[in-house]
Amino acid sequence: MSMTENTATSLNAAAANSAPTQGGALLSARDIEVAYSGKVALSGVSLDILPNQVTALIGPSGCGKSTFLRCLNRMNDVIPGAKVSGEIMFDGHDILGADIDVVSLRRRVGMVFQKPNPFPKSIYDNIAYGPKIHGLAPNRDALDVIVRDSLERAGLWGEVHDRLKSPGTSLSGGQQQRLCIARAIAVKPDLILMDEPCSSLDPIATARIEELIDELRERYTIIIVTHSMQQAARVSQKTAFFYLGELVETGETDDIFTRPADKRTQAYITGRVG
Amino acid sequence: MTDTTEPTALLTAIDLTARDARVRKRHRAELRFRGYGIFSIGVAVAALLWLFTSLAVGGAGAVYTTYIKIDVHLDQTVIDPDATGDAAVFAKASYQSLIRSGLRNHFPGVTGRRDQRALNGLVTLAAPYLLRDIVLDDPALIGTKTGIWILASDEADLIARGKGTKRSTKSRNDGQAAWIAELRSQDRVERRFNWQFFTGGDSREPELAGILVAMIGSVLSLLVCFAVAFPVGVLAAVYLQEFARRTWITTLFEVNINNLAAVPSIIFGLLGLYIFLNVLHLPRSAPLVGGLVLALMTLPTIIIASRAALQSVPESIRDGALAVGASRVQAIFHHVVPIALPGMMTGTILGMARALGETAPLLMIGMVAFIVDVPKSILDPATALPVQIFLWADSPERAFVDKTSAAILVLLGFMVLMNAGAVLIRNRFEVRL
C-alpha cells in the first residue's frame, strides 16, 4: 500500500517532507468521536496540526485530551471496547481507515508516555529496537549511527555514551524519559505524540525535557498533552483546550492564554475550573 | 487564654492513662500473636525433622550393606577340569557348590538339611554369579584357597545390624546370629557402601535391589513431560492472555483449565491409558507414555503460572513496543514473553516437581512393572521413583523397609534439586523493571 511505499521516501526527508495535506496542516482531524464500551469520551473534535510546531492539548482530567492523542497513532485499538469514528487525514490517507497498516503508521507517528517506559534491555537495544524491526539500518555500523544520532538529539549522548550496554532502567527518571524520546526519534517519525511526558519528573528534569521539545520542533511536529498550563505556555505555539469531551477552543498559544474567546477556557486558565 | 489551655491539659492527662493501658494491651496482643506464629512454625519444623530423621536412619541401612569373608577353595577340578584356560569354560562352572563347601568348612558342626539351608542363606542368592565374576576377572585365583568377600543376604545383613527378620523362624534366626557373631570375631564381617543400590535395577532380593531404573525412568519421563508441556503450555497461555478476545468461550476455557488443575491425577492416568496405549498403541510401561501423561497433568499448572507471569508484565512495556511500530506478535515475543519467561520457568519446574512425585497416573499406564534392565531410550520399559517406593513398601521382606526409606530420600533429593533450580532461575533471570 501507499503507506508503506511512502516509508522509503519519508525516511531521508524526515520532517522536511511533511507533505502538507489541507491548508498546510500535517494532520487534520475531523469530527472525531471516541466511545469506550458505548460511553462517549470525546465527540465532535476537529483539529489541524501544523508542521514543525508544538501543539499543546490542555484541559482538566478526564476531558479527553489523552484519548484524542491516542487516536492519532491508533493506540486506542489496544483498548478493548474502544470505538473511534471520524476522519484523520495524514499524508493523504485517513488513518482511521480499516486498510491502514498501524505498524507503518506508528513508525511515522511516535509516542512518549506519561511514565518513562524503557524496555528492560540495554540503552543501546532500547534505541536500536525500532530501527531493527523496521529494517532502517542495513548493517551494524548504520545502526550505531542511528543510535548515536537519536541519543544526541534527545540530549542524552553525553550522559550515556560510555555505558550503552547498561540497562535503560538504571537511568534516572528524567534520563529514562529522554531515552524514550530518543527511542521514538530513532524510527524517524514525522509526528511525535507526548502524553504528559513530565508528570512523573522533578522540576529540573522537566526543564530539560521542555528545552528538548523546543529543539526537536525544528525537525519534528509535536503534540503534547499537559496538565501544566505554564508548560503549555512555555513550549507550545498552538494550544487546544478540551473540556468534558469537547474541543472548546484552539488557537495560537499566546492568544489562548491572554485573550481566551470562551468563558470556560478563561475559567480554566485562571484556575477556577479543573 | 487559661480557659482554653486548662481543659486541654486535663484531657491529655486523662487520655494518657487510658492510652497507656491500650498500648500495653496492644503489645500483649502482638506478643501473643508472635507466640502463635513461632509455635506453628515449630510444629512444622518438628514434623519435618521427624520425617527426615526416620528416613535418614532407615536410608542408611540401604546405603551400606554387609559383606562376609569366606575362604573358598577355587577347585580346578570344578572350575576347569580339562585345564583349557578358556573363560567360556569358567563361566559354566558350578560356583554354588564352591561357596557352599566354603561355608561348611567354616562351620563343620552344621548338619541337617534345615540348618545347612540356613547356613547357605547367609550369602546372597546371587553369590555364585559374583564369585564367577571374580574368577573371570582374575583366572590366576583358580586352584588356590582364598578369602573372598561375598555379599551377605538381606537376612544376614539385618542380623549383622542387630535387627530381627520377620520372614525367618526364630531358630533359624538364632543359628544365623551365632554364625555371624563367630565370623565377626574372626573379622570376617564388614559394612561397605552399597553401590549396587545406585547402579542396579529392581530385584526380588533386597540386597540386590537398586534404584537406577527408577531414577532413569523418572528423569526420562520428566524430560518428555517438559518437552511436551512447556511449549504447549506457554503458547496456550500467551494466546489466552495476549491474543484471545474476551468472549464467553475464552471464559469457559479459563474456568475449565482451572478445574483441570484440580482433577485427581489418576484420571489423567486413565485418559493416558485410553489414548496412548489403547488408541495409539504406544509401548506399555515406557517413559514416553509416562511423560505424556505427566505432561497432560502438568499442562493446566503451567498455563495458569504462565498467564500469571504474563499478567504481571506492566502494560507500559506493551505500549512502548507498539508505539515504536512493533506488531502485536513482535511486542509480545520480543518484550513481554522474555520478561515473563523466568516466572513461566518457575511455574513449570514446580509443576514438574509435582509430576515427579506422582504415582497414580503411572500405575494406570503400566510403569509399575518389575524392571531389572536399565532403560536405554524412552521406549524401553521403566519404572519411576514414586512407583518404586510404592512397590518396595509393599514387599514383605523386612530389608525393603530400608530400601523404601532410601528411595524416598532419593526422590526428595530430586525434588529439592528441582525447587532449588526454580529459585535459581528466578533470581538469575528475573528482569528488573
Side-chain angles (χ1 to χ4, degrees), chain B residues 89-118:
Chain B
V89 177
F90 304 163
K92 283 181 191 147
S94 165
Y95 293 96
Q96 186 156 26
S97 60
L98 296 178
I99 292 171
R100 287 187 176 171
S101 59
L103 279 167
R104 262 201 303 283
N105 285 340
H106 278 286
F107 302 101
V110 178
T111 51
R113 244 179 106 74
R114 201 186 212 180
D115 283 354
Q116 280 189 355
R117 281 249 303 269

PDB file of all heavy atoms in Angstrom, chain B residues 89-118:
ATOM      1  N   VAL B  89      34.633 -71.711  29.590  1.00  0.00           N
ATOM      2  CA  VAL B  89      34.506 -72.887  30.458  1.00  0.00           C
ATOM      3  C   VAL B  89      34.338 -72.464  31.908  1.00  0.00           C
ATOM      4  O   VAL B  89      33.485 -72.990  32.629  1.00  0.00           O
ATOM      5  CB  VAL B  89      35.738 -73.808  30.299  1.00  0.00           C
ATOM      6  CG1 VAL B  89      35.652 -75.002  31.239  1.00  0.00           C
ATOM      7  CG2 VAL B  89      35.872 -74.268  28.853  1.00  0.00           C
ATOM      8  N   PHE B  90      35.121 -71.455  32.310  1.00  0.00           N
ATOM      9  CA  PHE B  90      34.996 -70.964  33.702  1.00  0.00           C
ATOM     10  C   PHE B  90      33.564 -70.528  33.984  1.00  0.00           C
ATOM     11  O   PHE B  90      33.034 -70.751  35.057  1.00  0.00           O
ATOM     12  CB  PHE B  90      35.872 -69.727  33.966  1.00  0.00           C
ATOM     13  CG  PHE B  90      37.339 -69.910  33.671  1.00  0.00           C
ATOM     14  CD1 PHE B  90      38.162 -68.807  33.521  1.00  0.00           C
ATOM     15  CD2 PHE B  90      37.900 -71.191  33.561  1.00  0.00           C
ATOM     16  CE1 PHE B  90      39.501 -68.954  33.266  1.00  0.00           C
ATOM     17  CE2 PHE B  90      39.251 -71.322  33.301  1.00  0.00           C
ATOM     18  CZ  PHE B  90      40.053 -70.213  33.142  1.00  0.00           C
ATOM     19  N   ALA B  91      33.011 -69.868  32.996  1.00  0.00           N
ATOM     20  CA  ALA B  91      31.715 -69.256  33.208  1.00  0.00           C
ATOM     21  C   ALA B  91      30.626 -70.281  33.488  1.00  0.00           C
ATOM     22  O   ALA B  91      29.611 -69.963  34.108  1.00  0.00           O
ATOM     23  CB  ALA B  91      31.336 -68.410  31.994  1.00  0.00           C
ATOM     24  N   LYS B  92      30.827 -71.496  33.005  1.00  0.00           N
ATOM     25  CA  LYS B  92      29.764 -72.501  33.143  1.00  0.00           C
ATOM     26  C   LYS B  92      29.876 -73.323  34.420  1.00  0.00           C
ATOM     27  O   LYS B  92      29.008 -74.123  34.729  1.00  0.00           O
ATOM     28  CB  LYS B  92      29.796 -73.460  31.931  1.00  0.00           C
ATOM     29  CG  LYS B  92      29.186 -72.823  30.698  1.00  0.00           C
ATOM     30  CD  LYS B  92      29.195 -73.777  29.535  1.00  0.00           C
ATOM     31  CE  LYS B  92      28.849 -73.067  28.238  1.00  0.00           C
ATOM     32  NZ  LYS B  92      29.566 -73.669  27.113  1.00  0.00           N
ATOM     33  N   ALA B  93      30.993 -73.147  35.166  1.00  0.00           N
ATOM     34  CA  ALA B  93      31.239 -73.998  36.339  1.00  0.00           C
ATOM     35  C   ALA B  93      30.208 -73.743  37.425  1.00  0.00           C
ATOM     36  O   ALA B  93      29.519 -72.713  37.422  1.00  0.00           O
ATOM     37  CB  ALA B  93      32.633 -73.714  36.877  1.00  0.00           C
ATOM     38  N   SER B  94      30.071 -74.699  38.372  1.00  0.00           N
ATOM     39  CA  SER B  94      29.127 -74.556  39.471  1.00  0.00           C
ATOM     40  C   SER B  94      29.812 -73.883  40.647  1.00  0.00           C
ATOM     41  O   SER B  94      30.469 -74.520  41.464  1.00  0.00           O
ATOM     42  CB  SER B  94      28.610 -75.939  39.887  1.00  0.00           C
ATOM     43  OG  SER B  94      27.990 -75.849  41.131  1.00  0.00           O
ATOM     44  N   TYR B  95      29.672 -72.593  40.728  1.00  0.00           N
ATOM     45  CA  TYR B  95      30.296 -71.849  41.813  1.00  0.00           C
ATOM     46  C   TYR B  95      29.527 -72.016  43.110  1.00  0.00           C
ATOM     47  O   TYR B  95      30.063 -71.846  44.196  1.00  0.00           O
ATOM     48  CB  TYR B  95      30.414 -70.369  41.442  1.00  0.00           C
ATOM     49  CG  TYR B  95      31.392 -70.149  40.312  1.00  0.00           C
ATOM     50  CD1 TYR B  95      30.958 -70.053  39.013  1.00  0.00           C
ATOM     51  CD2 TYR B  95      32.762 -70.081  40.568  1.00  0.00           C
ATOM     52  CE1 TYR B  95      31.850 -69.894  37.978  1.00  0.00           C
ATOM     53  CE2 TYR B  95      33.658 -69.922  39.531  1.00  0.00           C
ATOM     54  CZ  TYR B  95      33.195 -69.834  38.232  1.00  0.00           C
ATOM     55  OH  TYR B  95      34.071 -69.669  37.218  1.00  0.00           O
ATOM     56  N   GLN B  96      28.231 -72.358  42.941  1.00  0.00           N
ATOM     57  CA  GLN B  96      27.397 -72.519  44.128  1.00  0.00           C
ATOM     58  C   GLN B  96      28.001 -73.569  45.060  1.00  0.00           C
ATOM     59  O   GLN B  96      28.092 -73.356  46.273  1.00  0.00           O
ATOM     60  CB  GLN B  96      25.992 -72.938  43.711  1.00  0.00           C
ATOM     61  CG  GLN B  96      25.046 -72.981  44.873  1.00  0.00           C
ATOM     62  CD  GLN B  96      23.599 -72.817  44.419  1.00  0.00           C
ATOM     63  OE1 GLN B  96      23.279 -73.144  43.277  1.00  0.00           O
ATOM     64  NE2 GLN B  96      22.753 -72.329  45.284  1.00  0.00           N
ATOM     65  N   SER B  97      28.415 -74.707  44.479  1.00  0.00           N
ATOM     66  CA  SER B  97      28.965 -75.790  45.312  1.00  0.00           C
ATOM     67  C   SER B  97      30.253 -75.322  45.989  1.00  0.00           C
ATOM     68  O   SER B  97      30.506 -75.651  47.143  1.00  0.00           O
ATOM     69  CB  SER B  97      29.222 -77.030  44.457  1.00  0.00           C
ATOM     70  OG  SER B  97      30.136 -76.704  43.436  1.00  0.00           O
ATOM     71  N   LEU B  98      31.044 -74.469  45.301  1.00  0.00           N
ATOM     72  CA  LEU B  98      32.285 -73.971  45.907  1.00  0.00           C
ATOM     73  C   LEU B  98      31.994 -73.131  47.142  1.00  0.00           C
ATOM     74  O   LEU B  98      32.626 -73.283  48.185  1.00  0.00           O
ATOM     75  CB  LEU B  98      33.068 -73.137  44.891  1.00  0.00           C
ATOM     76  CG  LEU B  98      33.575 -73.876  43.645  1.00  0.00           C
ATOM     77  CD1 LEU B  98      34.282 -72.921  42.721  1.00  0.00           C
ATOM     78  CD2 LEU B  98      34.503 -75.006  44.046  1.00  0.00           C
ATOM     79  N   ILE B  99      31.000 -72.253  47.005  1.00  0.00           N
ATOM     80  CA  ILE B  99      30.659 -71.378  48.137  1.00  0.00           C
ATOM     81  C   ILE B  99      30.118 -72.206  49.288  1.00  0.00           C
ATOM     82  O   ILE B  99      30.485 -72.016  50.453  1.00  0.00           O
ATOM     83  CB  ILE B  99      29.632 -70.336  47.687  1.00  0.00           C
ATOM     84  CG1 ILE B  99      30.286 -69.374  46.694  1.00  0.00           C
ATOM     85  CG2 ILE B  99      29.090 -69.580  48.883  1.00  0.00           C
ATOM     86  CD1 ILE B  99      29.327 -68.458  46.035  1.00  0.00           C
ATOM     87  N   ARG B 100      29.224 -73.156  48.918  1.00  0.00           N
ATOM     88  CA  ARG B 100      28.616 -73.957  49.985  1.00  0.00           C
ATOM     89  C   ARG B 100      29.666 -74.756  50.744  1.00  0.00           C
ATOM     90  O   ARG B 100      29.617 -74.841  51.968  1.00  0.00           O
ATOM     91  CB  ARG B 100      27.542 -74.868  49.394  1.00  0.00           C
ATOM     92  CG  ARG B 100      26.336 -74.030  49.024  1.00  0.00           C
ATOM     93  CD  ARG B 100      25.174 -74.836  48.590  1.00  0.00           C
ATOM     94  NE  ARG B 100      24.060 -73.919  48.369  1.00  0.00           N
ATOM     95  CZ  ARG B 100      22.909 -74.277  47.816  1.00  0.00           C
ATOM     96  NH1 ARG B 100      22.734 -75.532  47.425  1.00  0.00           N
ATOM     97  NH2 ARG B 100      21.961 -73.402  47.673  1.00  0.00           N
ATOM     98  N   SER B 101      30.608 -75.329  50.002  1.00  0.00           N
ATOM     99  CA  SER B 101      31.641 -76.109  50.718  1.00  0.00           C
ATOM    100  C   SER B 101      32.522 -75.171  51.534  1.00  0.00           C
ATOM    101  O   SER B 101      32.968 -75.512  52.631  1.00  0.00           O
ATOM    102  CB  SER B 101      32.465 -76.943  49.736  1.00  0.00           C
ATOM    103  OG  SER B 101      33.084 -76.114  48.798  1.00  0.00           O
ATOM    104  N   GLY B 102      32.734 -73.971  51.033  1.00  0.00           N
ATOM    105  CA  GLY B 102      33.490 -72.979  51.796  1.00  0.00           C
ATOM    106  C   GLY B 102      32.802 -72.677  53.109  1.00  0.00           C
ATOM    107  O   GLY B 102      33.436 -72.626  54.167  1.00  0.00           O
ATOM    108  N   LEU B 103      31.465 -72.461  53.053  1.00  0.00           N
ATOM    109  CA  LEU B 103      30.699 -72.171  54.265  1.00  0.00           C
ATOM    110  C   LEU B 103      30.756 -73.348  55.234  1.00  0.00           C
ATOM    111  O   LEU B 103      30.912 -73.189  56.442  1.00  0.00           O
ATOM    112  CB  LEU B 103      29.248 -71.862  53.902  1.00  0.00           C
ATOM    113  CG  LEU B 103      28.974 -70.437  53.414  1.00  0.00           C
ATOM    114  CD1 LEU B 103      27.593 -70.348  52.789  1.00  0.00           C
ATOM    115  CD2 LEU B 103      29.110 -69.437  54.554  1.00  0.00           C
ATOM    116  N   ARG B 104      30.634 -74.583  54.651  1.00  0.00           N
ATOM    117  CA  ARG B 104      30.658 -75.788  55.506  1.00  0.00           C
ATOM    118  C   ARG B 104      32.000 -75.926  56.211  1.00  0.00           C
ATOM    119  O   ARG B 104      32.060 -76.344  57.358  1.00  0.00           O
ATOM    120  CB  ARG B 104      30.375 -77.039  54.660  1.00  0.00           C
ATOM    121  CG  ARG B 104      28.910 -77.493  54.738  1.00  0.00           C
ATOM    122  CD  ARG B 104      28.750 -78.934  54.359  1.00  0.00           C
ATOM    123  NE  ARG B 104      29.269 -79.235  53.032  1.00  0.00           N
ATOM    124  CZ  ARG B 104      28.654 -78.934  51.903  1.00  0.00           C
ATOM    125  NH1 ARG B 104      27.469 -78.355  51.926  1.00  0.00           N
ATOM    126  NH2 ARG B 104      29.192 -79.230  50.733  1.00  0.00           N
ATOM    127  N   ASN B 105      33.070 -75.538  55.510  1.00  0.00           N
ATOM    128  CA  ASN B 105      34.386 -75.636  56.133  1.00  0.00           C
ATOM    129  C   ASN B 105      34.498 -74.721  57.347  1.00  0.00           C
ATOM    130  O   ASN B 105      35.198 -75.019  58.299  1.00  0.00           O
ATOM    131  CB  ASN B 105      35.480 -75.268  55.130  1.00  0.00           C
ATOM    132  CG  ASN B 105      35.684 -76.386  54.134  1.00  0.00           C
ATOM    133  OD1 ASN B 105      35.310 -77.532  54.406  1.00  0.00           O
ATOM    134  ND2 ASN B 105      36.244 -76.066  52.987  1.00  0.00           N
ATOM    135  N   HIS B 106      33.830 -73.541  57.277  1.00  0.00           N
ATOM    136  CA  HIS B 106      33.864 -72.624  58.418  1.00  0.00           C
ATOM    137  C   HIS B 106      33.092 -73.185  59.595  1.00  0.00           C
ATOM    138  O   HIS B 106      33.465 -72.975  60.749  1.00  0.00           O
ATOM    139  CB  HIS B 106      33.272 -71.273  58.023  1.00  0.00           C
ATOM    140  CG  HIS B 106      34.260 -70.407  57.308  1.00  0.00           C
ATOM    141  ND1 HIS B 106      35.290 -69.799  57.965  1.00  0.00           N
ATOM    142  CD2 HIS B 106      34.384 -70.088  56.003  1.00  0.00           C
ATOM    143  CE1 HIS B 106      36.012 -69.115  57.069  1.00  0.00           C
ATOM    144  NE2 HIS B 106      35.482 -69.287  55.879  1.00  0.00           N
ATOM    145  N   PHE B 107      31.970 -73.824  59.285  1.00  0.00           N
ATOM    146  CA  PHE B 107      31.102 -74.343  60.353  1.00  0.00           C
ATOM    147  C   PHE B 107      30.877 -75.836  60.142  1.00  0.00           C
ATOM    148  O   PHE B 107      29.786 -76.241  59.720  1.00  0.00           O
ATOM    149  CB  PHE B 107      29.767 -73.593  60.373  1.00  0.00           C
ATOM    150  CG  PHE B 107      29.927 -72.114  60.556  1.00  0.00           C
ATOM    151  CD1 PHE B 107      29.826 -71.251  59.474  1.00  0.00           C
ATOM    152  CD2 PHE B 107      30.225 -71.595  61.817  1.00  0.00           C
ATOM    153  CE1 PHE B 107      30.000 -69.888  59.646  1.00  0.00           C
ATOM    154  CE2 PHE B 107      30.393 -70.225  61.968  1.00  0.00           C
ATOM    155  CZ  PHE B 107      30.286 -69.371  60.898  1.00  0.00           C
ATOM    156  N   PRO B 108      31.875 -76.645  60.434  1.00  0.00           N
ATOM    157  CA  PRO B 108      31.748 -78.084  60.187  1.00  0.00           C
ATOM    158  C   PRO B 108      30.653 -78.718  61.045  1.00  0.00           C
ATOM    159  O   PRO B 108      30.112 -79.766  60.684  1.00  0.00           O
ATOM    160  CB  PRO B 108      33.130 -78.648  60.572  1.00  0.00           C
ATOM    161  CG  PRO B 108      33.935 -77.531  61.095  1.00  0.00           C
ATOM    162  CD  PRO B 108      33.162 -76.290  61.035  1.00  0.00           C
ATOM    163  N   GLY B 109      30.324 -78.085  62.148  1.00  0.00           N
ATOM    164  CA  GLY B 109      29.342 -78.661  63.051  1.00  0.00           C
ATOM    165  C   GLY B 109      27.913 -78.618  62.533  1.00  0.00           C
ATOM    166  O   GLY B 109      27.017 -79.235  63.095  1.00  0.00           O
ATOM    167  N   VAL B 110      27.674 -77.849  61.468  1.00  0.00           N
ATOM    168  CA  VAL B 110      26.299 -77.690  60.983  1.00  0.00           C
ATOM    169  C   VAL B 110      25.895 -78.910  60.156  1.00  0.00           C
ATOM    170  O   VAL B 110      26.496 -79.207  59.132  1.00  0.00           O
ATOM    171  CB  VAL B 110      26.166 -76.421  60.123  1.00  0.00           C
ATOM    172  CG1 VAL B 110      24.751 -76.315  59.586  1.00  0.00           C
ATOM    173  CG2 VAL B 110      26.559 -75.207  60.930  1.00  0.00           C
ATOM    174  N   THR B 111      24.910 -79.612  60.654  1.00  0.00           N
ATOM    175  CA  THR B 111      24.405 -80.771  59.914  1.00  0.00           C
ATOM    176  C   THR B 111      22.906 -80.622  59.796  1.00  0.00           C
ATOM    177  O   THR B 111      22.305 -79.751  60.423  1.00  0.00           O
ATOM    178  CB  THR B 111      24.730 -82.082  60.656  1.00  0.00           C
ATOM    179  OG1 THR B 111      24.296 -81.948  62.011  1.00  0.00           O
ATOM    180  CG2 THR B 111      26.215 -82.405  60.594  1.00  0.00           C
ATOM    181  N   GLY B 112      22.337 -81.480  59.003  1.00  0.00           N
ATOM    182  CA  GLY B 112      20.879 -81.445  58.833  1.00  0.00           C
ATOM    183  C   GLY B 112      20.508 -80.463  57.738  1.00  0.00           C
ATOM    184  O   GLY B 112      21.119 -79.408  57.585  1.00  0.00           O
ATOM    185  N   ARG B 113      19.517 -80.878  56.972  1.00  0.00           N
ATOM    186  CA  ARG B 113      19.082 -80.111  55.808  1.00  0.00           C
ATOM    187  C   ARG B 113      18.726 -78.667  56.136  1.00  0.00           C
ATOM    188  O   ARG B 113      19.152 -77.720  55.473  1.00  0.00           O
ATOM    189  CB  ARG B 113      17.854 -80.785  55.228  1.00  0.00           C
ATOM    190  CG  ARG B 113      18.037 -81.330  53.841  1.00  0.00           C
ATOM    191  CD  ARG B 113      16.743 -81.978  53.420  1.00  0.00           C
ATOM    192  NE  ARG B 113      16.035 -81.148  52.441  1.00  0.00           N
ATOM    193  CZ  ARG B 113      16.406 -81.022  51.185  1.00  0.00           C
ATOM    194  NH1 ARG B 113      17.491 -81.629  50.756  1.00  0.00           N
ATOM    195  NH2 ARG B 113      15.725 -80.296  50.348  1.00  0.00           N
ATOM    196  N   ARG B 114      17.953 -78.576  57.229  1.00  0.00           N
ATOM    197  CA  ARG B 114      17.401 -77.279  57.550  1.00  0.00           C
ATOM    198  C   ARG B 114      18.510 -76.290  57.945  1.00  0.00           C
ATOM    199  O   ARG B 114      18.550 -75.152  57.483  1.00  0.00           O
ATOM    200  CB  ARG B 114      16.434 -77.454  58.693  1.00  0.00           C
ATOM    201  CG  ARG B 114      15.462 -76.351  58.800  1.00  0.00           C
ATOM    202  CD  ARG B 114      14.673 -76.544  60.028  1.00  0.00           C
ATOM    203  NE  ARG B 114      13.329 -76.059  59.864  1.00  0.00           N
ATOM    204  CZ  ARG B 114      12.427 -76.128  60.842  1.00  0.00           C
ATOM    205  NH1 ARG B 114      12.734 -76.732  61.973  1.00  0.00           N
ATOM    206  NH2 ARG B 114      11.235 -75.633  60.652  1.00  0.00           N
ATOM    207  N   ASP B 115      19.401 -76.742  58.814  1.00  0.00           N
ATOM    208  CA  ASP B 115      20.478 -75.870  59.272  1.00  0.00           C
ATOM    209  C   ASP B 115      21.417 -75.511  58.132  1.00  0.00           C
ATOM    210  O   ASP B 115      21.906 -74.373  58.042  1.00  0.00           O
ATOM    211  CB  ASP B 115      21.282 -76.561  60.389  1.00  0.00           C
ATOM    212  CG  ASP B 115      20.521 -76.506  61.709  1.00  0.00           C
ATOM    213  OD1 ASP B 115      19.460 -75.836  61.727  1.00  0.00           O
ATOM    214  OD2 ASP B 115      20.968 -77.143  62.681  1.00  0.00           O
ATOM    215  N   GLN B 116      21.654 -76.489  57.262  1.00  0.00           N
ATOM    216  CA  GLN B 116      22.537 -76.181  56.125  1.00  0.00           C
ATOM    217  C   GLN B 116      21.914 -75.138  55.203  1.00  0.00           C
ATOM    218  O   GLN B 116      22.600 -74.267  54.675  1.00  0.00           O
ATOM    219  CB  GLN B 116      22.859 -77.471  55.360  1.00  0.00           C
ATOM    220  CG  GLN B 116      23.942 -78.242  56.059  1.00  0.00           C
ATOM    221  CD  GLN B 116      24.462 -79.406  55.255  1.00  0.00           C
ATOM    222  OE1 GLN B 116      23.946 -79.704  54.187  1.00  0.00           O
ATOM    223  NE2 GLN B 116      25.479 -80.060  55.784  1.00  0.00           N
ATOM    224  N   ARG B 117      20.572 -75.276  55.031  1.00  0.00           N
ATOM    225  CA  ARG B 117      19.889 -74.250  54.224  1.00  0.00           C
ATOM    226  C   ARG B 117      20.072 -72.872  54.851  1.00  0.00           C
ATOM    227  O   ARG B 117      20.327 -71.880  54.158  1.00  0.00           O
ATOM    228  CB  ARG B 117      18.389 -74.555  54.143  1.00  0.00           C
ATOM    229  CG  ARG B 117      18.023 -75.620  53.151  1.00  0.00           C
ATOM    230  CD  ARG B 117      17.261 -75.079  51.944  1.00  0.00           C
ATOM    231  NE  ARG B 117      16.049 -74.363  52.240  1.00  0.00           N
ATOM    232  CZ  ARG B 117      14.845 -74.945  52.313  1.00  0.00           C
ATOM    233  NH1 ARG B 117      14.710 -76.258  52.166  1.00  0.00           N
ATOM    234  NH2 ARG B 117      13.779 -74.217  52.533  1.00  0.00           N
ATOM    235  N   ALA B 118      19.925 -72.832  56.178  1.00  0.00           N
ATOM    236  CA  ALA B 118      20.078 -71.558  56.893  1.00  0.00           C
ATOM    237  C   ALA B 118      21.500 -71.017  56.724  1.00  0.00           C
ATOM    238  O   ALA B 118      21.714 -69.822  56.525  1.00  0.00           O
ATOM    239  CB  ALA B 118      19.750 -71.739  58.366  1.00  0.00           C
TER     240      ALA B 118
END
